Amino acid sequence: MKEAYFAGGCFWCVTPIYKMYGVDEVICGYAGGDEKDPTYEQVKHQETGHRETIKLVYDSEKVSYDKLLDIYFANVDPFDAEGQFIDKGFSYTLAIFYMSDDEKKTALEKIAKIEQESGKKVQVEVLPFKNFYEAEEYHQDYYLKNPEAFEKELIESGRKKNS
């Protein structure tokens, strides 16, 4: 099993997407800051230098890192430097935390392709993995525990259009 770490704005909103594509486990948490064991409130209020991040545990025989990046870019606004949708502030900005030179290279190639095709600057940092702290239990699988609140969050955030 391999691991990947992506900051994609609100971690609740991106969790179920990866489960649909064969990722074994998606864990909500915080990555990149210096504070040890940050809390949701600290991260949300921009006090720690962490971003809301998901840890993906996956079998590379079932889904490739390249495919995970495709899913990531299809579900974020890569041009927003301020956060994602209605969630603004550093803790909601985009980052790919790489675990190897190959992951870094793959991420940078994806970004270069998006920039070439769009003519816009991609606002995703590609950073070496530093740390990951698991979020509080109530954040894990939020979409399953609170389906109505989750649906409301998707619509209110602008990630999903109300049909």
Side-chain angles (χ1 to χ4, degrees):
M1 297 302 266
K2 297 185 99 176
E3 296 175 359
Y5 298 85
F6 299 148
C10 170
F11 48 33
W12 292 346
C13 296
V14 293
T15 298
I17 297 157
Y18 290 95
K19 296 243 180 152
M20 291 188 306
Y21 286 93
V23 171
D24 291 290
E25 197 173 358
V26 182
I27 301 165
C28 293
Y30 317 110
D34 293 323
E35 182 85 18
K36 288 189 184 338
D37 295 317
T39 67
Y40 177 68
E41 290 301 317
Q42 289 174 314
V43 174
K44 180 180 175 179
H45 291 103
Q46 319 303 321
E47 297 172 359
T48 67
H50 290 83
R51 290 177 168 101
E52 285 196 16
T53 301
I54 54 172
K55 172 183 175 179
L56 306 174
V57 179
Y58 68 101
D59 180 344
S60 60
E61 298 292 318
K62 293 180 185 172
V63 61
S64 68
Y65 186 76
D66 188 74
K67 178 67 175 173
L68 295 177
L69 287 173
D70 287 343
I71 296 164
Y72 176 77
F73 283 111
N75 287 281
V76 298
D77 176 357
F79 309 112
D80 188 343
E82 304 299 318
Q84 288 294 286
F85 303 92
I86 64 167
D87 295 313
K88 300 300 180 189
F90 180 80
S91 64
Y92 298 107
T93 59
L94 302 176
I96 296 165
F97 298 100
Y98 63 86
M99 305 284 286
S100 69
D101 288 340
D102 284 342
E103 287 182 0
K104 178 182 180 183
K105 179 177 181 258
T106 302
L108 292 173
E109 287 171 354
K110 293 270 185 204
I111 289 169
K113 183 178 180 191
I114 292 168
E115 289 179 339
Q116 181 181 21
E117 290 173 354
S118 69
K120 297 180 190 177
K121 173 86 174 115
V122 168
Q123 302 295 322
V124 177
E125 287 195 78
V126 178
L127 302 167
F129 177 79
K130 180 178 177 178
N131 55 34
F132 179 82
Y133 298 97
E134 196 168 311
E136 297 82 353
E137 179 55 37
Y138 72 93
H139 293 296
Q140 308 305 328
D141 294 320
Y142 184 83
Y143 71 105
L144 294 174
K145 295 174 184 171
N146 303 284
E148 290 170 5
F150 174 71
E151 184 75 11
K152 184 178 178 199
E153 173 77 16
L154 287 179
I155 293 167
E156 289 179 356
S157 74
R159 284 186 186 258
K160 179 179 179 181
K161 303 298 179 226
N162 195 358
S163 35

